[in-house]
Amino acid sequence: MQYYSTNKKAPMADLKKAVVKGLAEDRGLYMPEEIRQMPARFFNEIDKMSFQELSYEVAKAFFGGDVKDEALREIVYDTLSFDCPVVEVEPRIHSLELFHGPTLAFKDVGARFMARLLQYFIREEEGERVNVLVATSGDTGSAVANGFLGVEGIHVYVLYPKGKVSKIQESQFTTLGRNITAIEVDGVFDDCQTLVKNAFMDADLNRHMRLTSANSINVARFLPQAFYYFNAYARMKEQGLLTYDNDGVSNLVVCVPSGNFGNITAGLFGHRMGLPVKRFIAANNANDIFYQYLQSGEYHPQPSKQTLANAMDVGDPSNFARILDLYGHSHARITSLISGATYDDEAIKETLRECLARTGYQLDPHGACGYRALKEQLAADEVGVFCETAHPAKFKEKVDEITHSDVAIPERLAAFMRGTKQSVALSKDFADFKEYLMGE
Ligand SMILES: *Cc1c(COP(=O)(O)O)cnc(C)c1O
């Protein structure tokens, strides 16, 4: 499969190049040249397949020509070592729980897949070690570090701003050791990102070591997120929850709390592959750029605003370019399939409390946006599922205070918090970062 750039000015890339480079030369996002329809037989049998089995079939449609079947099967099965179950919150409203992975958020799926695919490509050529540089304001660093932990031939450097990351988040990437190095930068997140960008452009460094990024726009992190939408459909079909119209489209509505729009775009790819979902809802926090686009047809990026659902604090969502490309830049096509919603912090708090009191289900601040949008927009003949993108314990302090509860900390999170912090302290000067890497 070849991949083109959404900016249409860079040459096509094969999968390996798209994964290693991440972003195209013209700064566009890679898109697969073809999105294959899954056969009718697949959808007929999907409710009898396990999460791993059906994900392998979906993975073959994306990556089948570029990765040998047996290796791809192993990558998928190894990535999905945890479940993404569908849980009923109340009649007709279901939670697709994406927080059962190592760092308790959905980014584990993409990060684990990418680590294993990158390893497959470098194993083939038996070259020198590959070094992944990633800047994080919290969640990305933990998903990438844990996704790559123990993957041979790859070393990860996580750059994070000193004192700007919560203790829980910090413990998830500073206590790992092995092939993961945490670098604590005396600066803010933007300084970390600038250091990483400068490193990729520095000729000496690139001669000294092989560098790559594990950005969330990478096709190997982004496309595997389609797997769990197929699983949500399969599990709901299995439970006899769905009805169908004359065209074979189900009454299932999928609602995704969105920031950079990678997660929902993977669901839209699933829809293009034939997944019989009726429509999608993109739930925003106060960063409502996409919501405004749906209303007006105009896209105006804004500086991001800080909210309770901070992993969705994005003022210029990267994957918007992929959505435009997928629907030929047609506002009408986009609004016929996707509706929007936006909630400020007050609404998020109210939703956390209301849902817990009435149903007993403890949401996290991101999932709260998804739950509320679904509840407000679901028609009487529809059934809905929203993505619960993180475990509430990741935001324990805030969630406990808002809902007057004491969220239990899962053992795998407690284990991180007991670990010993190991990190390299650096200034925000590129010269210091370069000197450090030249010594590695
Ligand atoms: C990253 C993240 C989101 C936003 O996902 P996008 O793919 O950027 O839209 C939502 N919730 C949580 C918990 C996240 O970590």
Side-chain angles (χ1 to χ4, degrees), residues 19 62 100 120 128 172 181 187 198 245 296 311 319 340 347 375 424:
V19 172
F62 287 133
H100 296 278
Y120 170 81
E128 54 180 315
Q172 291 179 306
T181 303
N198 286 338
D245 68 12
S296 68
N319 287 288
K375 190 150 174 71
V424 176

Side-chain angles (χ1 to χ4, degrees), residues 106-107 139 257-263 311-312 366 389-390:
F106 80 90
K107 289 186 179 71
D139 270 359
S258 296
N260 221 5
F261 280 72
N263 197 4
M312 289 156 46
H366 306 80
T389 49

Side-chain angles (χ1 to χ4, degrees), residues 1 42 44-45 59 61 72 120 162 186 199 229 304 320 357 374 412 425:
M1 179 93 69
F42 172 73
N44 289 338
E45 294 168 6
L72 184 59
Y120 170 81
K162 182 179 174 177
D186 195 358
Y229 292 97
S304 63
F320 183 63
L374 193 55
R412 63 196 186 288

Side-chain angles (χ1 to χ4, degrees), residues 382-434:
E382 294 172 332
V383 171
V385 67
F386 67 95
C387 294
E388 182 40 290
T389 49
H391 192 288
K394 286 196 94 164
F395 309 94
K396 179 173 169 58
E397 276 177 25
K398 286 175 189 160
V399 171
D400 281 354
E401 188 189 312
I402 296 164
T403 60
H404 306 293
S405 52
D406 181 13
V407 175
I409 298 183
E411 173 45 33
R412 63 196 186 288
L413 185 53
F416 283 123
M417 293 160 74
R418 284 195 301 271
T420 311
K421 174 177 159 179
Q422 302 163 260
S423 66
V424 176
L426 285 182
S427 76
K428 61 180 181 185
D429 290 336
F430 181 62
D432 288 345
F433 184 44
K434 180 172 171 176

